[in-house]
Each structure stands twice: as C-alpha cells, then as structure tokens.
Amino acid sequence: MLTVLREEDRDDKPAARWSPIYYGLRDAIVSHRLAPGTKLPEDELASIYSVSRTVVRAALQALAHDRLARLEPNRGAFVAQPSKIEAREVFEARALIEPKVAALAARVAVPSDIVQLRQHLEKEHEALHDGRDSDAIMLSARFHVGIAEIAAHSVFTNFVRDLVSHSSLIIALYWKRRDATCEKHAHHALVDAIEAGDSADAAALMNSHLVDLLSGLDLTDKVEKSDSLADLLRA
C-alpha cells in the first residue's frame, strides 16, 4: 500500500499529537484542496493546529515517508509533485511486473489467501462507500501488494511495494474519476482468476486493470488556486 509507518516507527512523539496534522494534510492532498507543489510552512501549520513546530515536523516527515510530501533542505516541505513523465513510467513499470506477479499468485494461492483478499476488498469498498478516498487509495494499493506477497517472490514483492507507493501518490494527486482508486469489478475479477488458478487470465486482467488506472488520471497542466493554507485546510 501507500506505506503508512507504524506509530512507533515514525517519531518518538506521541502519535496523538501529530496524527491530526498528518491526516488533515493527507486528506487535503487526496481531495485536491492542496495542489501539487503547495508549500507547507511549519510555522503556519503550527498556528493552524495549535501545536509546536516539532509536532508539525513529525507529521511532515510521515507525509514525506508516504511520498505525499517532499522535504527540501533550507526550503521546507511541499506537497509532492510527480511529473507526467514519471507517472507514465511508474505505470509502465507496473505493467511489466504485476501481470507476472498475478500469474504467479494464481499458481500458488491457497484458500486462506483468497479469504484474506476478499476480506480486504470489503474494507476497500467500505472506504469508497463512506467517501474516505485517501483510505480507499491506500487499501487499493495494499491489495496489489497482497497479491505480490501471495506470489511469494521476494524481489517482485519489493518492486511492487515501491511502485505502488509511487503510483498511489500519483493517483491521490491526479485522479479524475473516483474509481481510479481501483474499480470494484477489476479487483473482484482478479481474485476470481487467482482462486481459479488461471494464471493467464490473472495476468491479462492485471494488465488491463493497470491500463484503466492510468486512463483515470488527469495529467494535464493546470493553473492552481491561490487560497491561503488555512482556508484550504478548513474547506
């Protein structure tokens, strides 16, 4: 998934202190209220959330780990801004690797793997139904990592983890259809093919699914609003 660190791994500060800032910024990024490249000043965020800059810094580090923000020495934090070229390259790489991974998973999956995948899909659909888009994006990406883990190929799994982390950010920033998070029928069809042990069908479904994901992104250049950071976070 778009990897979220365990609370104890992010920072030694109590998670309750920086979590509201992390989730507030994350949701603002995913909902497109904060545009790619928007500066995230520590002092302004500290004022908005009534916390210290140290707490804000922990939240920004968590966002950077999840590739939703970038930290630049002597300049501060900014909403990440992957290029259109990078976006296409990430999905091209996924299309080379993930069909093979899906085929491998179809050959080795056991009933307990299928149960876990279907349970995961229920959580994903609940998030979409409830309008929790950022959670849906993360759960959707975690589904792809789950398939790689079933395939039990450590090198492919590491590649998939890194690529879905990149592409989850791209989807969060540039999706133009809500189903770009991953269409319901696409994931169900993949699970059905894996359960049936049909490696060729699993590979073909994964490939077409990734093509659909890329087509659901808006990679055109836009003129962004100049609203204040506080107004954007309150929206």
Side-chain angles (χ1 to χ4, degrees):
M1 65 185 284
L2 177 59
T3 305
V4 178
L5 282 171
R6 294 173 299 167
E7 310 291 8
E8 63 268 26
D9 291 336
R10 289 189 190 274
D11 192 86
D12 58 2
K13 304 298 179 184
R17 299 182 64 190
W18 56 258
S19 289
I21 306 160
Y22 168 82
Y23 288 113
L25 290 170
R26 186 196 71 175
D27 291 345
I29 292 168
V30 172
S31 66
H32 300 173
R33 284 181 282 129
L34 288 178
T38 299
K39 186 172 176 58
L40 303 171
E42 289 183 6
D43 54 350
E44 188 173 353
L45 289 169
S47 176
I48 291 169
Y49 287 98
S50 299
V51 297
S52 70
R53 292 181 62 173
T54 299
V55 175
V56 169
R57 197 170 299 123
L60 293 175
Q61 289 169 347
L63 287 168
H65 182 277
D66 290 348
R67 302 181 190 272
L68 290 172
R70 69 178 190 275
L71 305 179
E72 298 185 8
N74 303 317
R75 294 196 64 212
F78 299 82
V79 175
Q81 192 171 21
S83 68
K84 290 182 287 185
I85 292 175
E86 180 184 353
R88 295 188 183 279
E89 288 177 346
V90 166
F91 278 93
E92 287 170 358
R94 289 186 66 180
L96 288 173
I97 294 172
E98 288 194 65
K100 176 66 173 178
V101 169
L104 288 173
R107 294 188 189 117
V108 302
V110 297
S112 61
D113 294 326
I114 304 304
V115 169
Q116 289 182 358
L117 287 176
R118 294 198 187 282
Q119 289 175 341
H120 184 87
L121 288 184
E122 289 303 314
K123 295 178 182 178
E124 185 181 320
H125 299 156
E126 286 174 7
L128 277 172
H129 181 268
D130 296 342
R132 293 182 285 114
D133 292 326
S134 54
D135 288 337
I137 289 172
M138 293 183 177
L139 288 166
S140 173
R142 183 65 186 82
F143 173 82
H144 287 258
V145 175
I147 291 176
E149 290 170 343
I150 291 170
H153 190 298
S154 61
V155 175
F156 279 159
T157 300
N158 287 334
F159 279 140
V160 170
R161 281 199 183 100
D162 189 56
L163 286 168
V164 299
S165 180
H166 277 78
S167 57
S168 294
L169 164 64
I170 291 164
I171 291 169
L173 296 179
Y174 297 122
W175 59 274
K176 61 185 177 185
R177 307 190 316 253
R178 288 191 77 242
D179 59 15
T181 56
C182 275
E183 296 186 50
K184 178 178 179 179
H185 71 270
H187 278 183
H188 274 292
L190 273 166
V191 175
D192 290 344
I194 292 170
E195 182 177 28
D198 191 335
S199 57
D201 193 29
L205 286 166
M206 181 65 82
N207 185 71
S208 64
H209 173 44
L210 293 171
V211 170
D212 287 342
L213 280 177
L214 181 58
S215 72
L217 304 181
D218 182 1
L219 300 178
T220 58
D221 294 324
K222 294 180 178 179
V223 177
E224 305 297 347
K225 299 177 182 178
S226 57
D227 296 337
S228 73
L229 186 59
D231 289 340
L232 291 169
L233 290 172
R234 283 195 294 265

